[in-house]
């Protein structure tokens, strides 16, 4: 399928590694020019070098996606370089280490999680909307989680709340931006094989695989393929959706 994305420009937060990098690869393979944002400037530059080696027109725009000034500077640099912005993938985030019950959770742990996931989604979306509106085309793809769609699990109230907030934000944004030719959708992956689960024990990994109907975890390239489709013209009538990508699993438990 030709996704008709050649010449489009994407801004991807948290694209220095993992899912974000896979998303940059997938979009780049479709002819999209990519602005790689990451809080780690070295990771962003390394990602760009690898993308360019694959023939992708990429630019490093490092910065903290949860900080307003950083977002404004990164978006401005991308616009100055590429002249347009058509696709935003809000991917920036952190894993849950350590987990806290609600009773034991420090307020700063809550604030950090909500800021990294939900505030960054708001800031990046707000920053790119004028350019998308001017171009008459926009695709905003936000990252929710099975931690929300599955009803949450003990110890991750801050993460589940942030991911639920992203889903609600996406629904409202879809209604506000739709009349301008801009769609907003969210994806809700299950466990994905990235560095964020590097600390899981072999036993934890085996239980997660056993509990999934497909008997495995998701791959970053599979998430990236979904994002590329949602960014395309073929997905023009998909707006305000929350697309689950969890292999059919909708619950959370660590037991048998």
């Amino acid at each position: 399928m030709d996704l008709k994305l050649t010449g489009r420009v994407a801004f991807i937060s948290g694209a220095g590694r993992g899912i974000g990098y896979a998303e940059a690869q997938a979009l780049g393979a479709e002819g999209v020019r990519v602005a790689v944002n990451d809080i780690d400037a070295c990771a962003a530059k390394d990602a760009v070098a690898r993308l360019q080696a694959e023939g992708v027109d990429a630019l490093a725009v490092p910065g903290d996606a949860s900080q307003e000034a950083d977002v404004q500077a990164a978006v401005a640099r991308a616009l100055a370089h590429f002249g347009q912005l058509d696709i935003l993938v809000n991917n920036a985030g952190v894993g849950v280490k350590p987990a806290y019950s609600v009773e034991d959770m420090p307020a700063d742990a809550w604030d950090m999680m909500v800021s990294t996931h939900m505030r960054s989604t708001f800031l990046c979306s707000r920053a790119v909307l004028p350019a998308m509106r001017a171009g008459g085309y926009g695709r905003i793809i936000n990252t929710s989680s099975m931690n929300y769609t599955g009803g949450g699990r003990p110890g991750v109230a801050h993460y589940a709340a942030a991911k639920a907030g992203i889903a609600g934000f996406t629904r409202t944004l879809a209604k506000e931006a739709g009349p301008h030719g801009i769609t907003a959708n969210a994806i809700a992956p299950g466990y994905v094989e990235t560095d964020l689960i590097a600390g899981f024990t072999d036993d934890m990994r085996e239980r997660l695989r056993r509990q999934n109907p497909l008997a495995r975890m998701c791959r970053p390239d599979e998430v990236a393929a979904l994002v590329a489709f949602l960014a395309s013209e073929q997905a023009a009538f998909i707006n305000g959706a929350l697309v689950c990508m969890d292999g059919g699993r909708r619950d959370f438990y660590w037991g048998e």
Side-chain angles (χ1 to χ4, degrees), residues 123-136:
L123 289 175
C124 290
S125 298
R126 187 183 65 175
V128 304
L129 282 170
M132 289 183 174
R133 190 167 58 250

Side-chain angles (χ1 to χ4, degrees), residues 77-161:
R77 185 177 178 193
L79 279 170
H81 183 82
F82 292 118
Q84 65 191 77
L85 273 179
D86 310 292
I87 301 161
L88 169 65
V89 184
N90 282 307
N91 170 75
V94 293
V96 184
K97 294 180 182 178
Y100 295 101
S101 68
V102 172
E103 185 176 1
D104 295 331
M105 186 176 298
D108 59 355
W110 175 278
D111 291 343
M112 183 276 292
M113 190 65 71
V114 171
S115 178
T116 304
H117 292 268
M118 190 162 61
R119 189 171 194 263
S120 67
T121 297
F122 155 66
L123 289 175
C124 290
S125 298
R126 187 183 65 175
V128 304
L129 282 170
M132 289 183 174
R133 190 167 58 250
Y137 183 98
R139 300 286 186 267
I140 297 175
I141 299 126
N142 300 325
T143 308
S144 185
S145 171
M146 186 173 69
N147 269 288
Y148 160 59
T149 59
R153 64 179 174 86
V156 298
H158 49 354
Y159 186 87

